[in-house]
Amino acid sequence: MESFVRSVNFFGNCDAERLLEEFGSPLYVYNEDIIRGNLKRLAGLITKYPYTTNYSIKANSNLSLLKIALEEGLNCDAMSEGEIRLLMKAGFTPDRIFYVPNNVSREELQFAVDNNIMTSLDSIDQLDLYGQINPGGRCAVRLNPGVGAGHHEKVITAGKNTKFAITDDQLDTLFEVAAKHDLKIVGINQHIGSLFMNPTPFLESVKNLLTMAKRFGKLEFIDFGGGYGVPYHKVSEDEKPFDFDRFEAEFEKVLDSFVEEAGYVPLFKTEPGRYAFCEGGVLLGRVYAVKYNAGRKYAGTDIGMNILTRPSLYGSWHDIEVIRNGKVVTDNPEYVTVTGNICESGDIIAKERLLPEIRTNDIACVLDAGAYGYSMASNYNMRLRPAEVLITCSGDAKLIRRRDTYEDLFRNFEF
Ligand code: LLP
């Protein structure tokens, strides 16, 4: 693909240069059309059985974007009290929030109980604590189906090497602890990891979870987690999207056998995060300096590792387009290392990347930045987190989060 932003008219009636002039650099920009399209795709993932999609808000928790997910009929999962509070502010009622915490305090679990939020416990100890504060209550448990998958070992959340979930061999203890507190386990969930393009391990995990499900009697719901991948090499290698049609057909077959054998139909759920917003977000930054060291070209931008953490944390690849005077340029390809403005040598967005010639004052447009972009940003080096702007369906730019101010940065200090 020659240019993604051009092919989808990403900036609507605006262009990247004007957006940076108006809202400052760096800047997260989202496209509402793309986002709504992807949310619709997720909401219709399973059609044959009762089904809901819980959007996993850790991928992107911008309030305006959450409201779009609400409008598109999605429910949500939350990992923390902060995420629950935000979802309630966005207008999600408690029955549309599924709380999937890991290693939390009595107070945090109490908050969920007080607000009638369905909670999934991911260890025997947390189940016991939950039972102490909500005896006779209804809850779910997170199980480890024995198979994990993901783009990096740091994001694989099932199988042998993970802190998450309850394994098969602990089920007897789980039932004892639940019985001790008279807890009714009404649902089970899993999440095997983040970003797979090949659905085979996921489908294997689904089969394993459904086998474990049979030990629980009749469940109200079974949640298979998220992880559906996004093609991060769409421009550089013409990578194709996740094949949802094939996936859906195979997924349904696995559910068919469960329903036939188990003799009942629970509510099925999934929990995608990345897929919802990833492709609908780009990150714009300004090139402030071009230099050479030992024959290598460096393009120094204001997109530090605090603004987009994924490349430095996981070595993740994001395609980059070069924009000059508001237009994508594609000529004179050469190898360049694109860096940020943070005081670390690992502050690199793209290493030795073949890109169109980059000059000072160009804009680097980092693709597929709508998920785990802003949500993982920090104030490292006392840098301000950027603003976020939505290109609405009418093509206009709307500010949906302002840039940090220095007052924001200093707010928590004792002066
Ligand atoms: N459900 C649970 C319980 C999760 O922990 C996650 C992601 C999801 C659902 C959504 O997974 P998704 O569909 O987005 O793959 N920061 C990493 C990804 C970490 C994912 C953590 N859990 C990255 O930037 O690649």
Side-chain angles (χ1 to χ4, degrees), residues 289-300 334-339 345 348 350-353 358:
V290 169
K291 66 160 76 157
Y292 292 83
N293 183 3
R296 261 196 209 119
K297 179 173 176 178
Y298 289 84
E334 57 178 1
Y335 284 93
V336 60
T337 294
V338 185
T339 71
S345 286
I348 290 173
K351 195 168 184 176
E352 286 288 294
R353 182 78 64 88
I358 298 188

Coordinates of all heavy atoms in Angstrom, one line a residue, residues 289-300 334-339 345 348 350-353 358:
A289 N 15.2 17.5 14.1 CA 16.7 17.5 13.7 C 17.0 16.2 12.9 O 16.5 15.1 13.3 CB 17.5 17.5 15.0
V290 N 17.8 16.4 11.9 CA 18.3 15.3 11.1 C 19.8 15.3 11.3 O 20.4 16.3 11.2 CB 17.8 15.4 9.6 CG1 18.6 14.4 8.8 CG2 16.3 15.3 9.5
K291 N 20.3 14.1 11.6 CA 21.8 14.1 11.8 C 22.4 12.8 11.4 O 21.6 11.8 11.2 CB 22.2 14.5 13.2 CG 21.7 13.4 14.2 CD 22.5 13.5 15.5 CE 22.0 14.6 16.4 NZ 22.3 14.4 17.8
Y292 N 23.7 12.7 11.3 CA 24.3 11.4 10.9 C 25.3 11.1 12.0 O 26.0 11.9 12.6 CB 25.1 11.6 9.6 CG 24.1 11.8 8.4 CD1 23.6 13.0 8.1 CD2 23.7 10.7 7.7 CE1 22.6 13.2 7.1 CE2 22.8 10.8 6.6 CZ 22.2 12.1 6.4 OH 21.3 12.2 5.4
N293 N 25.4 9.8 12.3 CA 26.4 9.3 13.2 C 26.9 7.9 12.7 O 26.1 7.0 12.5 CB 25.8 9.1 14.6 CG 26.9 8.7 15.6 OD1 28.1 8.6 15.3 ND2 26.5 8.4 16.9
A294 N 28.2 7.8 12.5 CA 28.9 6.6 11.9 C 28.1 6.2 10.7 O 27.8 5.0 10.5 CB 28.9 5.5 13.0
G295 N 27.8 7.1 9.8 CA 27.2 6.8 8.5 C 25.7 6.6 8.6 O 25.1 6.3 7.6
R296 N 25.1 6.6 9.8 CA 23.7 6.3 10.0 C 22.9 7.6 10.1 O 23.3 8.5 10.8 CB 23.5 5.6 11.3 CG 23.3 4.1 11.1 CD 22.7 3.4 12.2 NE 23.3 2.1 12.2 CZ 24.0 1.5 13.1 NH1 24.2 2.1 14.2 NH2 24.5 0.3 13.0
K297 N 21.8 7.6 9.4 CA 20.9 8.8 9.5 C 19.9 8.7 10.6 O 19.3 7.6 10.8 CB 20.2 9.0 8.2 CG 19.2 10.2 8.2 CD 18.6 10.5 6.8 CE 17.6 11.6 6.8 NZ 17.0 11.9 5.6
Y298 N 19.8 9.8 11.4 CA 18.8 9.8 12.5 C 17.8 11.0 12.2 O 18.3 12.1 11.9 CB 19.5 10.1 13.8 CG 20.3 9.0 14.4 CD1 21.6 8.8 13.9 CD2 19.8 8.0 15.3 CE1 22.4 7.7 14.4 CE2 20.6 7.0 15.7 CZ 21.8 6.8 15.3 OH 22.6 5.8 15.8
A299 N 16.6 10.7 12.4 CA 15.6 11.7 12.3 C 15.0 11.9 13.8 O 14.4 11.0 14.3 CB 14.4 11.3 11.4
G300 N 15.3 13.0 14.4 CA 14.9 13.3 15.7 C 13.6 14.0 15.8 O 13.4 15.1 15.3
E334 N 15.4 5.8 1.8 CA 16.7 5.5 2.4 C 16.5 5.1 3.8 O 15.5 5.2 4.4 CB 17.5 6.8 2.4 CG 16.8 8.0 3.1 CD 17.6 9.3 3.2 OE1 18.7 9.3 2.6 OE2 17.1 10.2 3.8
Y335 N 17.6 4.5 4.4 CA 17.5 3.9 5.7 C 17.7 5.1 6.8 O 18.5 5.9 6.6 CB 18.5 2.8 6.0 CG 18.0 1.6 5.3 CD1 18.5 1.2 4.0 CD2 17.2 0.7 5.9 CE1 18.0 0.1 3.4 CE2 16.7 -0.5 5.3 CZ 17.1 -0.7 4.0 OH 16.7 -1.9 3.4
V336 N 16.8 5.1 7.8 CA 16.8 6.1 8.8 C 16.4 5.5 10.1 O 15.5 4.6 10.1 CB 16.0 7.3 8.4 CG1 14.5 6.9 8.2 CG2 16.1 8.5 9.4
T337 N 17.0 6.0 11.2 CA 16.5 5.6 12.5 C 15.7 6.8 13.1 O 16.2 7.9 13.2 CB 17.7 5.3 13.4 OG1 18.3 4.1 12.9 CG2 17.2 5.0 14.9
V338 N 14.4 6.5 13.4 CA 13.5 7.6 13.9 C 13.5 7.6 15.4 O 13.2 6.5 16.0 CB 12.1 7.5 13.3 CG1 11.3 8.7 13.7 CG2 12.2 7.4 11.8
T339 N 13.9 8.7 16.0 CA 14.0 8.7 17.5 C 13.1 9.8 18.1 O 12.5 10.6 17.4 CB 15.4 9.0 17.9 OG1 15.7 10.4 17.6 CG2 16.4 8.1 17.2
S345 N 19.0 6.1 25.1 CA 19.4 5.7 23.8 C 18.3 4.7 23.2 O 18.3 4.6 22.0 CB 20.7 5.0 23.8 OG 21.7 6.0 23.9
I348 N 13.6 5.0 20.6 CA 13.6 4.8 19.2 C 12.2 4.3 18.8 O 11.7 3.4 19.3 CB 14.7 3.7 18.8 CG1 16.1 4.3 19.0 CG2 14.5 3.3 17.4 CD1 17.2 3.3 18.8
A350 N 11.6 3.8 15.3 CA 11.9 2.9 14.2 C 13.4 2.8 13.9 O 14.0 3.9 13.8 CB 11.2 3.3 12.9
K351 N 14.0 1.6 13.9 CA 15.4 1.5 13.8 C 15.8 1.1 12.4 O 15.2 0.1 11.8 CB 15.9 0.4 14.8 CG 17.3 0.4 15.0 CD 17.6 -0.5 16.2 CE 19.1 -0.5 16.5 NZ 19.5 -1.2 17.7
E352 N 16.7 1.8 11.8 CA 17.2 1.5 10.4 C 16.1 1.1 9.5 O 16.0 0.0 8.9 CB 18.2 0.3 10.5 CG 19.5 0.7 11.1 CD 20.4 1.5 10.1 OE1 20.8 1.0 9.1 OE2 20.6 2.7 10.4
R353 N 15.1 2.0 9.4 CA 13.9 1.8 8.6 C 14.0 2.4 7.2 O 14.5 3.5 7.1 CB 12.7 2.4 9.4 CG 11.4 2.3 8.8 CD 10.8 0.9 9.0 NE 10.5 0.6 10.4 CZ 9.3 0.9 11.0 NH1 8.4 1.6 10.4 NH2 9.2 0.5 12.3
I358 N 13.6 11.8 4.9 CA 13.0 12.7 5.9 C 13.8 13.9 6.1 O 15.0 13.9 6.1 CB 12.9 12.0 7.3 CG1 12.0 10.7 7.2 CG2 12.4 12.9 8.3 CD1 11.7 10.1 8.5

